[in-house]
Amino acid sequence: HDASMIICVDFSESALYDLEQELKRKHPATDYRFIITDIRNEVLLQNIFEEYNPHFIYHAAAYKHVPLMEQFPWEAVHTNVYGTMSLVKLAVKYKAERFVFISSDKAVNPTSVMGATKRLAEIIVQSYSSARTATSFVVTRFGNVLGSNGSVVPLFKKQIQNGGPVTVTH
């Protein structure tokens, strides 16, 4: 997008550090800001929007591990639903051009807490897309992305290295 600045926000210190190293190596001429925060912290999010007034927002922050979210459903609701709602409201308030929400294939007829919270987040984003705002909203659903954080490939590799078995869920 020929961005003048890219602001990367993450809760995971290690993931943000790795991203910083990769981006600075691959695109050293681009201006970056790397910010550790939690999308559940509305005050810190407000500060980020106030300082940087982003034009494009790519929202991929979420809890995504189905079994863990069954154990800790409130965490899934707090992050996946309320965190998304906070970001959407800030995008509208600061008149971001575009808001892209990365959802999950688990949001289709959800059968788990994680899928249900991602579906609720989709509904929030969709409800704002039908409102008259300066912000254009987009929802996209990803399935398992090979090699991504939480992908099955590293899990399968570990299982094979440990002599198996390789587990496959339905």
Side-chain angles (χ1 to χ4, degrees):
H1 295 293
D2 195 29
S4 59
M5 178 187 295
I6 297 176
I7 303 154
C8 303
V9 178
D10 204 329
F11 180 72
S12 170
E13 171 193 10
S14 295
L16 194 61
Y17 176 80
D18 291 344
L19 181 63
E20 178 180 17
Q21 298 309 302
E22 181 180 351
L23 290 176
K24 286 183 173 179
R25 180 175 38 81
K26 288 183 176 178
H27 308 282
T30 304
D31 190 15
Y32 296 102
R33 297 294 181 276
F34 297 91
I35 301 170
I36 296 175
T37 195
D38 187 333
I39 66 163
R40 298 176 297 183
N41 188 326
E42 291 183 29
V43 172
L44 292 177
L45 284 180
Q46 171 79 30
N47 292 343
I48 292 167
F49 274 79
E50 184 72 33
E51 183 171 352
Y52 297 107
N53 197 15
H55 298 272
F56 295 88
I57 299 160
Y58 297 91
H59 169 35
Y63 280 124
K64 63 181 187 174
H65 294 281
V66 173
L68 279 173
M69 294 306 97
E70 293 298 318
Q71 285 184 280
F72 305 100
W74 176 247
E75 293 299 320
V77 170
H78 202 60
T79 297
N80 297 356
V81 178
Y82 296 144
T84 298
M85 182 65 140
S86 295
L87 283 174
V88 165
K89 286 180 177 179
L90 287 167
V92 170
K93 179 179 178 178
Y94 286 89
K95 297 178 173 55
E97 273 180 63
R98 177 155 300 161
F99 184 102
V100 178
F101 175 59
I102 312 300
S103 188
S104 166
D105 59 344
K106 306 277 189 297
V108 180
N109 300 320
T111 59
S112 66
V113 169
M114 192 285 282
T117 59
K118 292 298 277 186
R119 181 65 187 123
L120 279 170
E122 287 181 358
I123 291 168
I124 290 166
V125 174
Q126 289 169 328
S127 72
Y128 276 81
S129 71
S130 63
R132 291 190 168 197
T133 70
T135 306
S136 172
F137 289 92
V138 176
V139 173
T140 182
R141 289 179 175 160
F142 283 14
N144 285 321
V145 178
L146 292 178
S148 69
N149 191 11
S151 167
V152 297
V153 172
L155 172 64
F156 288 167
K157 282 183 176 179
K158 277 185 189 173
Q159 290 175 341
I160 292 167
Q161 287 172 345
N162 291 331
V166 174
T167 58
V168 179
T169 60
H170 61 297

